[in-house]
């Protein structure tokens, strides 16, 4: 049981100023969720490293921000090549530390380098085009300039469910635009966080970048608080839960100049109308509900199905949930679902389903703890759940009092309500404090177009499930799903700020009314 996964080149470490600082001990450990006795990473975080990492990033900022952008692009291209060359190592580590099915881990590993292409796209709809400076003529003698400057030192706080992809989505555009980074991975996935640091450091070293451009500090709550309240950072890029996001906002109320970009999960609805392609609707809703064992912020949590097709839809959805393959992520043939990240997450999902049933929900498919999965000794496996409720409400009083309550649970449990009309469906779909993703299944183009306007979410799909997004589009939500700082292709927008300049090319300053001036005063 090694505490150093074979994908890592260094022992469990922090990365500060280009140096990997070994973290001996075992105060923080990650394990394989399929085989919890298998330790992936083990070390004792050092809170003092937060200050050191921020100082290193601050020291590197002047040189990095003044490095020609062509050189910064060269570093990103080197990183892209490393990601492609080591895609199998990255996938194996994600699989072993997160518990994702191998095919899904390979997907996450495979899109890391693609973020570079998306960020560098300077076409009319490309990301890079939105942060290009420009000049224009204001008067015969005066020019107007717009230039984009980096914010400075950016804190990147990563989640466990996409421990490579989501931090990568912040770091790549931030580096392009001249920022430096202090990354704090999830305490559940420190090994993936370290691997991302290793890849960026190798790429930066290859072009002779200053030390400290990318730094990584490990730990749980204490380093996160220290980093997000640090006086010498300029931005916080966070993916996680609303309660933590709220604390970050509260801690930074007196820092209005600090950029804070939050992606905070969702209670995502899907509407299935009576004219829907039923096969498409069932497959997409089933996939989006149970993908990643329900641990995506875009997973479908609530389904509104029209009464005319409800029986057929529900019967098919239950069969999909009961029939998905569940097992060790490295199983052959491949499984659809691996384990949940921790046993407490499994217990929370099971308790949620039990509470819904006690509150009046009709448990059509009860989620169950699975303790006899082959090659999954003691793993945190769970089967999908499908629960029918009367209707969805905006209440967050708790499942003990309201089966249709507005609560996000990070597990493969989906609720379904039957509706008689689109108007009722959209009303319930929007009955949420969240607003990340929303879908409709219909063959009526007019209704689909109406939904694109009516749905209160940042990601609104037609005949496609809520889970999954294109990196070529913005990604973010409304309400307590985010704060209007969408990531995806729009992540460049929160990595730099525009500076307006007026340049006068003559000396013919006018004397304003009420002013007195004689040229002899300056002769």
């Amino acid at each position: 049981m090694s505490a150093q996964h074979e994908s890592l080149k260094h022992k469990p470490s922090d990365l500060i100023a280009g140096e990997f600082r070994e973290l001996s001990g075992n105060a923080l450990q990650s394990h394989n969720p399929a085989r919890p006795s298998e330790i992936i990473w083990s070390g004792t975080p050092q809170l003092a490293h937060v200050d050191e990492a921020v100082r290193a990033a601050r020291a590197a900022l002047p040189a990095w921000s003044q490095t020609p952008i062509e050189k910064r692009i060269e570093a990103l291209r080197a990183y892209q090549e490393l990601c492609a060359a080591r895609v199998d190592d990255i996938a194996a580590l994600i699989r072993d530390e997160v518990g994702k099915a191998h095919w899904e881990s390979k997907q996450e590993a495979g899109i890391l380098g693609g973020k570079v292409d998306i960020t560098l796209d300077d076409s009319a709809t490309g990301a890079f085009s939105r942060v290009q400076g420009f000049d224009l003529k204001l008067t015969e003698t005066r020019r107007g300039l717009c230039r984009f400057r980096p914010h400075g030192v950016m804190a990147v706080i990563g989640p466990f469910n996409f421990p490579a992809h989501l931090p990568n989505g912040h770091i790549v555009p931030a580096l392009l635009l001249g920022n430096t980074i202090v990354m704090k991975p999830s305490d559940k996935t420190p090994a993936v966080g370290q691997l991302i640091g290793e890849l960026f450091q190798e790429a930066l070293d290859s072009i002779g970048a200053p030390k400290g451009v990318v730094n990584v500090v490990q730990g749980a709550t204490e380093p996160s608080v220290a980093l997000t309240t640090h006086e010498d950072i300029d931005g916080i890029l966070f993916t996680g839960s609303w309660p933590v996001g709220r604390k970050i906002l509260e801690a930074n109320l007196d820092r209005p100049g600090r950029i804070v970009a939050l992606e905070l999960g969702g209670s995502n609805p899907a509407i299935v109308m009576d004219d829907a392609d039923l096969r498409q609707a069932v497959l997409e809703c089933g996939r989006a509900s149970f993908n990643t064992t329900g641990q995506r912020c875009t997973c479908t949590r609530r389904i509104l199905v029209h009464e005319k097709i409800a029986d057929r839809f529900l019967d098919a959805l239950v069969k999909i949930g009961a029939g998905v393959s569940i097992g060790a992520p490295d199983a052959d043939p491949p499984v659809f679902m691996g384990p949940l990240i921790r046993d407490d997450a499994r217990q929370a999902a099971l308790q949620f389903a039990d509470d819904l049933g006690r509150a009046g929900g009709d448990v059509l498919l009860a989620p169950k703890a699975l303790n006899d999965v082959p090659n999954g000794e003691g793993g945190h496996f769970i089967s999908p759940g499908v629960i029918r409720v009367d209707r969805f409400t905006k209440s967050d009083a708790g499942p003990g009092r309201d089966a249709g309550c507005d609560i996000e649970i990070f597990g493969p449990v989906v609720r379904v309500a039957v509706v008689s009309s689109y108007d009722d469906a959209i009303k319930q779909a929007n009955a949420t404090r969240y607003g990340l993703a929303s879908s409709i299944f219909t063959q009526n183009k007019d209704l689909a177009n109406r939904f694109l306007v009516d749905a209160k979410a940042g990601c609104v799909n037609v005949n496609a499930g809520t889970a999954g997004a294109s990196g070529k589009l913005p990604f973010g939500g409304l309400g307590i799903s985010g704060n209007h700082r969408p990531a995806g292709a729009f992540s460049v927008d929160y990595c730099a700020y525009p500076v307006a300049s007026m340049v006068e090319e003559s000396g013919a300053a006018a004397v304003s009314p009420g002013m007195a001036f004689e040229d002899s005063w300056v002769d």
Side-chain angles (χ1 to χ4, degrees):
M1 295 190 298
S2 173
Q4 181 181 345
H5 194 274
E6 60 186 1
S7 297
L8 296 174
K9 292 187 176 181
H10 298 270
K11 293 181 179 180
S13 304
D14 282 344
L15 169 60
I16 301 173
E19 177 186 351
F20 286 89
R21 308 266 196 92
E22 184 178 345
L23 300 173
S24 58
N26 59 5
L28 177 66
Q29 291 187 333
S30 66
H31 64 253
N32 186 332
R35 298 180 288 275
S37 62
E38 182 181 319
I39 304 302
I40 304 299
W41 190 100
S42 180
T44 298
Q46 301 295 315
L47 188 59
H49 283 184
V50 173
D51 278 338
E52 293 182 43
V54 173
R55 284 198 299 270
R58 179 63 60 188
L61 181 62
W64 179 247
S65 63
Q66 295 169 33
T67 296
I69 196 164
E70 294 79 11
K71 202 71 175 174
R72 298 202 296 265
I73 291 173
E74 184 181 341
L76 293 180
R77 290 299 188 194
Y79 170 74
Q80 184 179 41
E81 291 177 4
L82 286 171
C83 288
R86 299 195 59 198
V87 66
D88 290 333
D89 290 340
I90 301 168
L93 183 53
I94 294 170
R95 178 197 67 207
D96 292 345
E97 193 169 45
V98 182
K100 285 185 182 180
H102 186 73
W103 61 269
E104 196 173 357
S105 299
K106 190 73 173 283
Q107 284 182 347
E108 180 175 355
I111 62 177
L112 298 182
K115 181 65 180 180
V116 176
D117 291 329
I118 290 169
T119 302
L120 295 178
D121 182 0
D122 60 358
S123 66
T125 59
F128 199 16
S129 64
R130 290 196 308 282
V131 287
Q132 298 283 357
F134 59 86
D135 299 7
L136 54 83
K137 183 177 181 180
L138 299 177
T139 70
E140 289 300 321
T141 62
R142 183 168 294 186
R143 290 187 302 128
L145 309 177
C146 176
R147 297 291 183 267
F148 286 86
R149 292 180 183 171
H151 289 285
V153 178
M154 305 290 262
V156 175
I157 314 296
F160 77 84
N161 59 338
F162 283 89
H165 166 56
L166 290 175
N168 178 75
H170 295 310
I171 296 172
V172 168
L175 293 182
L176 171 68
L177 295 170
N179 300 278
T180 55
I181 304 295
V182 180
M183 175 188 173
K184 209 293 291 183
S186 167
D187 59 306
K188 296 178 177 66
T189 52
V192 177
Q194 180 175 320
L195 179 54
I196 294 300
E198 290 182 356
L199 293 169
F200 272 113
Q201 189 59 51
E202 185 173 346
L204 291 163
D205 285 344
S206 73
I207 63 126
K211 304 298 184 183
V213 172
V214 172
N215 306 271
V216 178
V217 290
Q218 303 283 5
T221 302
E222 283 190 337
S224 294
V225 171
L227 186 55
T228 56
T229 59
H230 202 286
E231 290 297 330
D232 207 23
I233 64 167
D234 302 294
I236 302 168
L237 312 180
F238 171 77
T239 306
S241 69
W242 159 240
V244 177
R246 178 175 179 169
K247 289 179 180 178
I248 291 173
L249 289 174
E250 290 174 344
N252 287 279
L253 286 175
D254 294 329
R255 302 177 177 92
R258 178 175 289 179
I259 193 77
V260 178
L262 305 175
E263 196 275 281
L264 303 173
S267 179
N268 311 300
I271 295 174
V272 183
M273 295 303 298
D274 56 333
D275 68 337
D277 180 325
L278 199 53
R279 180 183 185 277
Q280 177 76 7
V282 171
L283 279 171
E284 280 292 283
C285 286
R287 177 192 63 80
S289 297
F290 310 133
N291 217 194
T292 322
T293 321
Q295 296 175 117
R296 292 191 183 204
C297 52
T298 52
C299 277
T300 299
R301 307 296 181 190
R302 301 177 295 134
I303 300 174
L304 293 309
V305 60
H306 197 281
E307 59 187 7
K308 291 183 179 179
I309 60 167
D311 289 345
R312 287 188 295 154
F313 177 88
L314 286 169
D315 181 64
L317 182 64
V318 167
K319 287 177 178 175
I320 282 183
V324 296
S325 57
I326 303 167
D330 54 359
D332 186 18
V335 296
F336 179 76
M337 276 174 40
L340 287 173
I341 188 72
R342 290 287 187 271
D343 188 58
D344 57 0
R346 179 168 67 169
Q347 295 306 317
L350 294 170
Q351 186 65 55
F352 181 68
D354 185 62
D355 288 344
L356 293 175
R358 293 176 184 274
D362 183 6
V363 181
L364 305 179
L365 179 66
K368 297 179 180 178
L370 304 178
N371 300 313
D372 56 354
V373 173
N375 200 29
E377 298 83 5
H380 316 311
F381 296 95
I382 186 174
S383 64
V386 179
I387 301 171
R388 179 172 174 172
V389 301
D390 288 338
R391 64 184 299 105
F392 295 108
T393 71
K394 207 170 184 176
S395 167
D396 64 341
R401 287 191 283 177
D402 179 6
C405 61
D406 187 31
I407 292 179
E408 178 191 31
I409 191 72
F410 236 47
V413 179
V414 64
R415 288 174 287 169
V416 185
V418 177
V419 297
S420 60
S421 68
Y422 169 80
D423 289 337
D424 188 22
I426 192 64
K427 181 179 179 180
Q428 291 191 58
N430 288 338
T432 176
R433 298 162 300 147
Y434 295 89
L436 181 55
S438 191
S439 291
I440 192 171
F441 293 86
T442 179
Q443 298 184 68
N444 184 324
K445 291 184 179 179
D446 291 337
L447 190 61
N449 288 332
R450 181 180 169 189
F451 176 76
L452 292 174
V453 174
D454 291 343
K456 294 181 180 179
C459 304
V460 182
N461 299 334
V462 175
N463 296 324
T466 59
S470 170
K472 297 181 180 180
L473 295 170
F475 180 80
L478 315 176
I480 60 172
S481 287
N483 64 335
H484 298 281
R485 303 284 187 190
F490 277 53
S491 52
V492 294
D493 297 60
Y494 55 63
C495 291
Y497 65 94
V499 175
S501 302
M502 295 190 296
V503 179
E504 177 59 47
E505 296 175 334
S506 77
V511 179
S512 298
M515 290 179 64
F517 184 80
E518 295 181 12
D519 288 342
S520 61
W521 296 353
V522 295
D523 286 343

